[in-house]
């Protein structure tokens, strides 16, 4: 009996041990299965992530490939366009030069006009490429000059009237309201913006014409160029401002040019503190609007000359020394200045120029920068040390990136002109530096016209009385507040307020009082 119990106990223990072993094995197997499932799931997730990453990489590579192909195509179009734009004016210059050499009966005035216009086209092309480079490197310089705004606008419009007429188009010029006689801005950059906008309007218009409308109020101008061309699709309105782009339309792609005009225009407008925007109606035309701050000077310069042709100057003879290693440059200056009565000396290098200056004691030196041997900057320093402040030194160089206005104490020169030089600009520079009064053909010195008298409605009378009262007290803040209220409540007073604000900013209360005395 006891033996049976013992055997039962042993069997039960063995059964329990076997069951425990099986349980442990089952649990272990289950844990291993779970771990395998987790490992498999993790591996699957890693594979899915890798597949997604590969897809993203493939998409990025495809996008980069498309961008590279587009950039390569744009580069090809750009090179083809540049080649065409350079060869066309060069062909005209080359052809007319050969005709003149052969002694053909071509009118010199016609040949000269074609050659000059072709050279201007090449100059503008080079300047456009340089401007893009300067913008990208952050070295584009802006000048503040006194600009005759009406004259500038007239010149630009007349420049394109012939081009528009040749295509059978009209070109209208509308001044909406008053234009100041003078404004302060960078004349070259403003002219470049206007030329780009009008050039595009004429270039892309086949029927109808273009209209330039100018509005001026509160020291700012709104200049609109509207055309009746094919219009611009909505998706291209911003794209056309990118370099080397001109829209996707076939007609636009076939137009001459390199696609820099609008890109430069927008950049220059922003640098000058303005903006260019565009609206368009496909099939009906486009409108480019330039908004720009153009402050009017407190007083216009007196005795400004408006002339057709300079024939000489008043006073004793002046001596001009030209130091330039380019015989063509010295020849042009000689032909321009000697007939006007100047004594002109030439030197082809810095050392010869310094020796010649000792001999001729010039009143003004036109000095190139890049010459064999001594740099123009070094020559200017030596000239200044030898002759003092009485000698006027004007740098005339093709190194536009070295532009430095001068007369600020850091450089020895007085002014800077960039090649190729506009001869009228050169004469203006010489007159300013030497204080000359030109003798002109069929014209006289014309002083800037006085501003026209202003007439305001009776509703403005209380505000004018308040302004006079505040002026007697010297209450500048009261004057400023009254001007704001006057412009708001009496819209006809905008021109008067535009005249008074600069005087107030300069605390010129006497000038402000004189302006008010002219109001009817």
């Amino acid at each position: 009996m006891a033996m049976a119990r013992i055997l039962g106990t042993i069997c039960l223990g063995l059964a329990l041990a076997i069951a425990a072993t099986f349980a442990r094995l089952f649990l272990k197997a289950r844990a291993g299965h779970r771990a395998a499932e987790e490992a498999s799931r993790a591996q699957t997730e890693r594979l899915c992530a890798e597949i997604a990453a590969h897809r993203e990489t493939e998409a990025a590579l495809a996008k980069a490939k498309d961008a590279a192909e587009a950039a390569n195509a744009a580069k090809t179009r750009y090179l083809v366009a540049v080649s065409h734009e350079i060869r066309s004016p060069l062909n005209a210059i080359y052809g007319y030069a050969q005709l003149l050499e052969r002694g053909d009966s071509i009118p010199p005035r016609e040949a000269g006009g074609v050659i000059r216009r072709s050279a201007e086209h090449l100059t503008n092309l080079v300047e456009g490429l340089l401007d893009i480079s300067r913008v990208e490197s952050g070295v584009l310089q802006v000048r503040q000059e006194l600009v005759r705004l009406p004259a500038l606008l007239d010149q630009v419009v007349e420049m394109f009237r012939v081009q528009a007429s040749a295509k059978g188009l009209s070109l209208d010029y509308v001044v909406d309201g008053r234009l100041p006689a003078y404004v302060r801005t960078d004349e070259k950059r403003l002219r470049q913006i206007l030329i780009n906008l009008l050039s595009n309007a004429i270039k892309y218009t086949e029927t109808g014409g273009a209209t330039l409308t100018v509005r001026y109020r509160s020291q700012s101008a709104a200049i609109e160029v509207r055309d009746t061309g094919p219009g611009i699709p909505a998706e291209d309105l911003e794209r056309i401002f990118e370099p080397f782009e001109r829209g996707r339309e076939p007609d636009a792609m076939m137009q001459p040019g390199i696609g820099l005009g609008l890109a430069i225009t927008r950049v220059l407008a922003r640098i000058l503190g303005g903006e260019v925007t565009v609206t368009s109606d496909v099939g009906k035309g486009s409108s480019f609007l330039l908004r720009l701050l153009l402050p009017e000077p407190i007083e216009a310069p007196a005795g400004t000359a408006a002339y057709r042709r300079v024939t000489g100057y008043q006073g004793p003879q002046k001596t001009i020394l030209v130091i330039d290693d380019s015989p063509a440059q010295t020849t042009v200056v000689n032909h321009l200045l000697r007939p006007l009565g100047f004594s002109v000396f030439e030197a082809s290098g810095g050392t010869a120029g310094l020796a010649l200056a000792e001999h001729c004691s010039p009143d003004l030196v036109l000095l190139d920068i890049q010459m064999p041997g001594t740099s123009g900057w070094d020559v200017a320093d030596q000239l200044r040390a030898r002759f003092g402040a009485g000698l006027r030194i004007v740098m005339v160089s093709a190194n536009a990136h070295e532009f430095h206005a001068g007369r600020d104490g850091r450089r020895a020169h007085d002014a800077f002109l960039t090649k190729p030089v506009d001869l009228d600009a050169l004469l203006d520079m010489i007159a300013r530096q030497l204080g000359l009064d030109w003798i002109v053909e069929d014209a006289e010195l014309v002083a800037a016209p006085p501003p026209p008298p202003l007439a305001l409605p009776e509703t403005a009378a209380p505000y004018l009385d308040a302004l006079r009262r505040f002026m007697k007290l010297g209450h500048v803040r009261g004057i400023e507040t009254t001007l704001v209220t006057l412009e708001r409540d009496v819209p006809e007073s905008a021109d008067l307020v535009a005249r008074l604000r600069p005087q107030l900013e300069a605390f010129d209360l006497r000038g402000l009082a004189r302006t008010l005395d002219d109001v009817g």
Side-chain angles (χ1 to χ4, degrees), residues 196-445:
N196 287 342
L197 293 178
L198 279 174
S199 174
N200 277 355
I202 300 299
K203 181 192 299 183
Y204 292 101
T205 301
E206 296 300 327
T207 58
T211 302
L212 174 68
T213 304
V214 184
R215 305 175 184 87
Y216 187 89
R217 183 175 181 181
S218 300
Q219 306 295 301
S220 64
I223 303 174
E224 181 187 26
V225 177
R226 181 179 294 274
D227 63 60
T228 58
I232 305 168
E235 62 271 18
D236 284 343
L237 287 178
E238 285 300 317
R239 186 170 180 263
I240 58 174
F241 290 102
E242 296 296 325
F244 315 124
E245 296 289 355
R246 57 184 63 187
R248 298 182 175 88
E249 297 300 312
D251 291 342
M253 298 289 290
M254 294 299 295
Q255 292 295 334
I258 58 175
L260 289 177
L262 289 178
I264 294 173
T265 296
R266 172 164 280 186
V267 169
L268 291 180
R270 289 174 176 174
I271 290 175
L272 294 178
E275 184 59 275
V276 174
T277 57
V278 58
T279 58
S280 185
D281 191 351
V282 176
K284 295 183 178 179
S286 304
S287 172
F288 288 84
L289 180 61
L290 168 66
R291 295 187 181 276
L292 198 62
L293 182 65
L294 296 177
E296 184 178 6
I298 296 173
E299 292 184 2
T304 303
Y307 54 85
R308 297 187 184 93
R309 181 181 177 88
V310 172
T311 59
Y313 58 90
Q314 298 177 3
Q317 186 181 49
K318 300 293 184 180
T319 300
I320 294 180
L321 171 61
V322 184
I323 305 177
D324 198 308
D325 62 335
S326 170
Q329 177 67 20
T330 55
T331 299
V332 170
V333 174
N334 252 313
H335 281 286
L336 174 68
L337 299 182
R338 284 188 188 277
L340 302 182
F342 291 99
S343 176
V344 182
F345 292 84
E346 308 168 17
S348 60
T351 303
L354 291 170
L356 192 55
E358 293 286 348
H359 168 70
C360 68
S361 298
D363 298 289
L364 182 143
V365 176
L366 300 176
L367 178 59
D368 190 19
I369 294 177
Q370 190 171 350
M371 299 181 293
T374 309
S375 165
W377 297 122
D378 296 332
V379 175
D381 291 335
Q382 295 179 55
L383 287 171
R384 182 65 71 216
R386 169 65 182 83
F387 294 95
L391 174 65
R392 294 289 184 252
I393 303 174
V394 178
M395 311 304 289
V396 184
S397 176
N399 293 350
H401 65 280
E402 295 193 45
F403 173 84
H404 192 283
R407 293 198 66 79
D408 59 1
R410 297 195 297 270
R411 295 279 192 175
H413 68 290
D414 299 285
F416 194 111
L417 283 174
T418 304
K419 293 180 181 177
V421 177
D422 179 83
L423 298 186
D424 288 335
L426 177 59
L427 290 178
D428 287 342
M429 179 68 73
I430 292 174
R432 287 197 299 271
Q433 294 300 322
L434 298 181
L436 299 180
D437 291 326
W438 294 122
I439 300 172
V440 297
E441 181 183 84
D442 297 330
E444 298 177 354
L445 291 178

Side-chain angles (χ1 to χ4, degrees), residues 26-39:
F26 177 76
L27 292 175
K28 187 174 181 180
R30 187 173 181 181
H33 181 68
R34 186 181 297 111
E37 286 182 347
E38 291 178 356

